[in-house]
Amino acid sequence: MDEDMEAVVTQVEEKLGYPAIVKPANLGSSVGIGIARNRTSLETAVEEALEYASKLVIEPLIGELKEINCSVLGDTEHAEASVLEEVLKTEEILSYADKYQGSSNGGSKSSGGSKGTSGGMESTDRIIPAPVSDERTEEIQSLGVRTFKALGCGGVSRIDFMIDETNDSVYVNEINTIPGSLSFYLWEPAGKDFQTLTHDMIQLALKRQRDRERLTFSIDSNLFSLQGGGGGKGGSKGGSKK
Ligand SMILES: Nc1ncnc2c1ncn2[C@@H]1O[C@H](COP(=O)(O)OP(=O)(O)O)[C@@H](O)[C@H]1O
Ligand SMILES: [Mg+2]
């Protein structure tokens, strides 16, 4: 075992224990993900994941997992959460085949999930709205909005959550900033059709552009006032005139 691998193994065994899950940090679609149940399978999973990325995420494996996704639309000032979906898995981890090739054992259980013929997240087996309590739904929607704002997102995103059913804890797993099918199927149930969703996204993009132009303008005018020689060296940051 080389030094790097030894350091990984030591850290995982000290901090996490087994079973753990090993994921490439910057891929998607469950590519390169492996489960480590002991030192040998940890080494194999790390080697495999390193084929796909130089940065890995290793975390405790949630044994009884419920996967819930929530779309968020807006910007850092105002953002709203969609209805939730539960994504159903058929294997130990929601595999590439489940996401992109549809399920082999029966059709979609959702009201909105069987529309797509083009594959992608649109045809994954899902239940909408997710069968969780009202309080849990609100908690996840609020976590979704907070995550979206904390990351400074704009437009439409989909935030994926994991619930550990052994102790009922909820985790933010990842954010998809350009979600498959723009998550339109999570907005439709609340009456926002695809056209309205894209209209909203365009309005948000225009607002973002206006905000950006305002920022650039005030930086330009500060530089200008410094060059003008009147302001002296320490040119005040708030000194731009409207
Ligand atoms: N800590 C975990 N415990 C159990 N299963 C997990 C865990 N993290 C991820 N998974 C499973 O692996 C899948 C892919 O992981 P994810 O972090 O979403 O990566 P990707 O970017 O490939 O979608 C998840 O949808 C879930 O089924
Ligand atoms: Mg994922």
Side-chain angles (χ1 to χ4, degrees), residues 145-241:
V145 167
R146 281 166 56 200
T147 305
F148 181 92
K149 288 186 172 178
L151 293 174
C153 294
V156 75
S157 285
R158 196 193 72 233
I159 297 162
D160 297 349
F161 293 84
M162 297 190 292
I163 295 176
D164 182 344
E165 297 202 284
T166 54
N167 58 12
D168 212 31
S169 0
V170 54
Y171 300 93
V172 175
N173 180 30
E174 63 164 342
I175 182 161
N176 303 277
T177 49
I178 307 179
S181 315
L182 299 176
S183 294
F184 79 90
Y185 52 85
L186 293 177
W187 293 99
E188 265 181 356
K192 201 188 275 295
D193 63 13
F194 189 73
Q195 199 180 346
T196 316
L197 176 65
T198 45
H199 171 86
D200 288 359
M201 288 176 68
I202 291 167
Q203 294 308 311
L204 285 161
L206 291 171
K207 180 176 172 229
R208 203 155 57 237
Q209 181 62 17
R210 282 196 301 276
D211 288 347
R212 231 178 251 151
E213 278 166 5
R214 225 186 353 257
L215 278 178
T216 314
F217 173 73
S218 61
I219 292 166
D220 281 352
S221 56
N222 269 346
L223 286 177
F224 188 64
S225 71
L226 281 176
Q227 277 183 350
K233 276 184 192 162
S236 140
K237 279 183 187 156
S240 76
K241 288 189 181 124

Side-chain angles (χ1 to χ4, degrees), residues 21 23 27-30 33 59-60 62 67 94 99 173-174:
I21 185 165
K23 314 190 262 189
L27 274 183
S29 311
S30 306
I33 294 183
E59 61 191 24
I62 298 173
E67 298 195 66
L94 180 58
K99 278 185 191 166
N173 180 30
E174 63 164 342

